[in-house]
Each structure stands twice: as C-alpha cells, then as structure tokens.
Amino acid sequence: MSDIFLKIVNMSISAGWTVLALLILRPIFKRAGKRLLAFLWVLPALRLVLPFSFKSNLSINPGINTLPEGILLSPAPQINTGIAAVNNAVNPIISSSLAPNAGDSVNPLQVITAVLAAVWLAGAVCMVIYGAVSAIMLRRRLREAVNVAQRVYICDGIGTPFVFGFFRPRIYFPSHTCLGDSEYVLRHEMMHIKRLDHIFRPLGYLLLCFYWFNPLVWLAYYLYCGDTELACDEGVLAALDPEQRREYGHALVNCSTKGRTVRACPIAFGETGVKERVKTAASFKKPSVVLLCIAVILAVIVGVRFLTDPPQKAPSLMVNGGTLENGDRFFYATVKSADPVLEVVADAGTFESQFDVIEVDRTLESGKVVSGFERGDRIYVQYDGRIAETYPVRIIRPKVVRKLYPAELNAPVSVDVTLAWAGWSEAKDVYVVADNKERAQKDDHLPVYVIKDEESLGYLRGALKYDLVFDQGYGEVQSIDQAIANCNSEFFEEKMLFCIYVRSSSGSYRYGIGSVTFGEELIAKVVRVNDPAEVTDDMAGWMLILTLDRADAEGITVFDAVLADAEWDAAS
C-alpha cells in the first residue's frame, strides 16, 4: 500500500506542475475561446491517469519522482523537488529526522508513510461513497419525472435544469421553468451531451477521489467544471443574434442556483460562475483566429513540456566503467564522504560521471553491510543499473562495493623481470595450456602462464616438458630451472610468477618488458631490447619471467601479453 501511495503522490506532484503552467497561461487561453480552455484540462488529467510517460529532451517538468524509488529503505532519505534550492533546504532536515536507527525493524519513514497511506485510502473511499450516495439519492428524486420529449423530462423536486445519466444522458427541467428560458436551457444541455461532459465530469470527480489531498487537483476540477459551462455557453451563443444573447443571459439568472458543493453529477445549467457567464453572454464575440492559433501552439508546447519526462542521458564512452555480461553496471569512484552517508564521485568518462555526487547504500543486495571507507579511498561499485532520482542520486542495494585492488589503479607498475632460454617450439600445447589461450594465437599476442604456487609450476613443467627447454641456457642467458630455483612454497606466500613465451627468428635478439599495465586485465608489452651488429639465423625461444607481489595482482581477472617487435614470427 505504501508503494502505491508514493506512486500516487509522485503522479499528483507531476500533474500539479502542469496545472500551474495552465494557470499561468490561462488569461491567453480564455481570450482564445472557452472550448479550448475546457479541453486543456485533459493535460493534467493524463498526468494523473497514466503511470508512464514519454521521454523528451524538451521536458521541463521538475516533479518527476519527487519521492524516489527506494526512499523507504534509504538510510538517509531525501526528496527531489526538481528545485536545487528547495532540495538543499529540506533534505538535511528530512535525512536527519527520518533516518532509520540501527537495529530497528522499520524506520520512521516507513511508519509515517503507512499511516499517510491509510489516511489517503480512507479519504478516497469517503469521496467515492459521497459521490455514489449523491447520485443514488438524486436518482430517487427523479423517479417521478415526466417525459415530455426525447431525452427531456420535467420534475418537481429539483431547482435547476441539468443533465443526468452516464450511459443514457437525460435533460431534466424544474416544473417551474419559464417557457421562454426552456429553449436556451435545452440548447445548452444538448451542447453538454454533444461534448460528452456527462461522461468526463464524473471521471474527473473520480480522479479527485484519488487525489483529494492535492489542493491543485481540487482547483483544477473546480475550474474544469466552470470551463465546461463556459464552453457550452460559447457553443450556443455563436448561433444566436444579440437580442437572443441577452435573453440567454436572463435565462442564466432565472435558473441560477446557490449550490457550491463539489459534485460529480448532475451538470446543472445555472450552478457555476453565473455572473461571469452573464457578462460573457452580453459581450460575446467570436474568438480571434490569430489568438486561437497562438493558444493552440501554446497548448502543444505545454503538452510537450509537461506531459513528458526528461530522458536519462545516454552513456558516454566508458573509460573506467561499463556494463557487464549479466547487465549489471560497474564504475570506479573516489569517496567524497563516508560519514554518515557514503558519497562518491565517479571517474570521468563514465555514465555515472554525469552526476556530481552519488550516494551509495552500504547495505548490499545480499544483505551484507560494507564499511571501512574513508575520504579519498578509491572504490569499485557494481549495481543493477538503476539509479534512484533523489538529490543527490542514489544507488540502492548495490551488488558490490569495495576498495580497489592495487591492480585496478590502471597505472604502470615496476616488476622484476628475468629472461630465460626456452627453445624454439611450434607445438600446439604451448598455446593450449596458456592462461590466455584464446588470445595467444592471435596476431601480436603471446602465450602467458600464471604460476601462483608450486603445484601450478609443476603442472607447467609436466605439460611442456617435451615442447620447451627447462634445463639448458643459451649463451649468457640462464635456463628456466635456474631462473625459478628459489620459487618454493615460502616464495609463493607473497609472490607469484607471470611467464611469457616469446619466439624469435634469431638467437641474437634479446627481449624485455616495455611496460606492465594493471587493471582488471594485466597486459605486459614485450619489446626487443638490443640491436646486434651480427644476427644469427638460428631460431630461438625465450621465457620472460615476471615476479609479482600477490597483493598487486589481487583482482586481476585476465593476464595477457603483446609483442611490439616486428621481427616476431607468429605461429599458425
């Protein structure tokens, strides 16, 4: 019930902005014709009815999701009025007074919302009952009405002419109606039927039942009822001569009623704005075509501006963030504040960087609560792609929030590199057992082997013992066995090996590491480091052995190497 109530409130606020826009432009619309004026109330009605809207870059409606999704579960609830000054003024108060207490089963905002939802529902039910009872009581009074013409009845128990009936509208006259007034009254009420006011007015009242708490909706309904009367007057007056228009004004006075209660039905001839309607009848002029065109253009602009929502900006080029295969989004960020709310600033170039600050829940989707963050920390955030439109925006129940591993800092890192002789080999297993086997056979990529313990080292020796040379060196270059002689269990507690196999068209060439870039991928760039005066024509193979700190490699998911030497002969 609370979620439905919050949705109703958001739709009400959004429609309220549309009502305000119509009120501001109302003087122009009134001069352009009353029929257009009455039609314009369809715009806020659509906002009240439709649970969705279209996206448009032209939208200026600031009332979109004033109460954001997830606000009931937020540790620091905030609203988004669309006006920064208001947000800055009220959100600190809301966050401090309605923030949940640790250990409580429910937070204060959930309790308040549940109570308000119950009050809203009770009010809506009372409004519906009032409308239904009024219609039933009136129908009983009309049982004695006498049919005098098609759809026309005379009744003793009513004080003014009106249209009554949703599916089969009928026109009812008081028995005391003057014969001279009846013609004009009949034309007016027939105009109501032609315009389907007998259908739209009860529907408008039904909307009022659901949005009874919004004073702008009450004002809109009141003005709508008056505008429909003016529209019907205009339709009748357009076909009358000046003398008949004066008589029409007299009929309005004669049939006027003092009733001012809000009713869904009936549509009474002399119930609303009689004084204004008499003046209109006395000074009636057909609306200017120019003014009508201007008003129509303004109406279209209001519709586009206030019936649509501003679209979310499309993601820009992803540098430090993006979308995972399962649809989740991720990004890197810097902690701006960690107390009491975790506020982060996303790295530039990501979709999330369009927001100045993002609040991130500490409670993950799994229910785990993360902590230990400080201002300036670099963190990784993974979430389902939804960002609550609070102020600031908020990521509710993220899937992962953690400090960055050293390997995710995307910076060149110095490593210990040893060159060892491995011998030339075209064996398929050299690529099959590689940790990057899918990339290793592509142009410029080299097979790599990640060794994290003695067991994986033994596996590599066993898998490639017939394909590579482990126990022999070449000239001044040591063997693989010599290079890894000290790699025992104690070594692997803090270190790991990242080995790269490089083939060469000559044993005269030597290779080294140009750079190692750490991120979610570790990519080593292999370069030739010498330019010998004499080049032998023997085929050679080398193993570049990189020693890494295990802490630096934490978080790396892909290991790869590329060759920047044009002399390399790729294996087929």
Side-chain angles (χ1 to χ4, degrees), residues 187-510:
R187 289 190 183 189
H188 179 93
E189 301 303 340
M190 289 300 295
M191 188 64 68
H192 274 302
I193 295 174
K194 181 179 179 180
R195 288 169 42 86
L196 303 181
D197 290 335
H198 61 287
I199 294 177
F200 292 128
R201 182 162 171 177
L203 293 179
Y205 179 82
L206 186 60
L207 284 177
L208 185 63
C209 293
F210 282 96
Y211 296 94
W212 61 267
F213 56 87
N214 189 336
L216 286 175
V217 177
W218 282 87
L219 178 59
Y221 182 74
Y222 175 80
L223 291 176
Y224 161 72
C225 292
D227 290 344
T228 56
E229 297 300 329
L230 292 173
C232 290
D233 288 342
E234 184 178 79
V236 175
L237 292 170
L240 301 180
D241 58 38
E243 179 61 30
Q244 290 175 320
R245 291 168 189 165
R246 283 193 294 271
E247 293 176 359
Y248 185 85
H250 291 311
L252 283 172
V253 174
N254 294 336
C255 296
S256 62
T257 177
K258 295 182 180 180
R260 286 293 181 268
T261 57
V262 175
R263 295 189 291 181
C265 57
I267 303 172
F269 175 72
E271 180 184 28
T272 307
V274 173
K275 184 176 181 180
E276 180 184 1
R277 292 168 62 191
V278 170
K279 289 182 179 180
T280 301
S283 59
F284 176 78
K285 292 181 180 180
K286 291 185 178 180
S288 165
V289 176
V290 175
L291 277 177
L292 181 59
C293 292
I294 294 174
V296 170
I297 293 172
L298 285 176
V300 172
I301 292 174
V302 171
V304 172
R305 293 282 195 170
F306 288 91
L307 285 186
T308 58
D309 294 345
Q312 262 191 330
K313 295 180 181 179
S316 55
L317 177 65
M318 299 303 169
V319 176
N320 292 319
T323 304
L324 303 175
E325 291 183 0
N326 63 357
D328 287 349
R329 287 197 53 75
F330 74 94
F331 65 96
Y332 300 107
T334 302
V335 175
K336 180 180 180 182
S337 174
D339 186 24
V341 179
L342 182 59
E343 295 183 338
V344 305
V345 177
D347 287 0
T350 66
F351 167 62
E352 291 76 14
S353 65
Q354 67 178 294
F355 307 109
D356 294 336
V357 178
I358 301 175
E359 292 185 355
V360 180
D361 274 0
R362 297 177 186 272
T363 304
L364 305 182
E365 185 181 64
S366 62
K368 177 183 176 182
V369 178
V370 293
S371 59
F373 301 107
E374 297 179 357
R375 180 181 174 87
D377 282 348
R378 300 280 293 135
I379 67 169
Y380 169 88
V381 179
Q382 180 181 332
Y383 66 107
D384 62 6
R386 295 182 297 174
I387 298 180
E389 295 178 349
T390 57
Y391 184 83
V393 296
R394 187 174 192 85
I395 294 176
I396 300 169
R397 295 292 190 269
K399 296 187 176 182
V400 179
V401 180
R402 59 168 172 78
K403 293 182 180 180
L404 290 189
Y405 300 128
E408 294 174 297
L409 298 177
N410 288 325
V413 177
S414 297
V415 295
D416 294 329
V417 182
T418 301
L419 181 66
W421 173 254
W424 172 274
S425 177
E426 295 181 307
K428 184 177 180 181
D429 284 348
V430 171
Y431 300 93
V432 171
V433 301
D435 285 276
N436 65 334
K437 59 184 178 182
E438 293 183 357
R439 300 186 182 185
Q441 300 186 58
K442 296 180 180 179
D443 291 345
D444 296 343
H445 285 264
L446 303 172
V448 303
Y449 313 96
V450 180
I451 302 172
K452 296 183 179 181
D453 48 40
E454 289 183 291
E455 182 179 354
S456 57
L457 179 58
Y459 170 77
L460 180 66
R461 290 179 61 90
L464 300 179
K465 63 182 179 180
Y466 298 114
D467 304 313
L468 301 182
V469 178
F470 284 84
D471 57 357
Q472 296 180 18
Y474 182 90
E476 83 287 1
V477 179
Q478 62 185 325
S479 68
I480 295 176
D481 284 346
Q482 290 174 322
I484 62 175
N486 296 323
C487 296
N488 52 27
S489 58
E490 185 177 349
F491 169 87
F492 284 116
E493 287 180 1
E494 297 183 356
K495 305 287 185 178
M496 61 179 291
L497 300 178
F498 175 44
C499 303
I500 306 169
Y501 179 63
V502 187
R503 291 189 315 178
S504 173
S505 59
S506 173
S508 302
Y509 297 138
R510 299 293 183 267

Side-chain angles (χ1 to χ4, degrees), residues 42 154 265 461 550:
V42 171
I154 293 178
C265 57
R461 290 179 61 90
R550 296 182 77 94

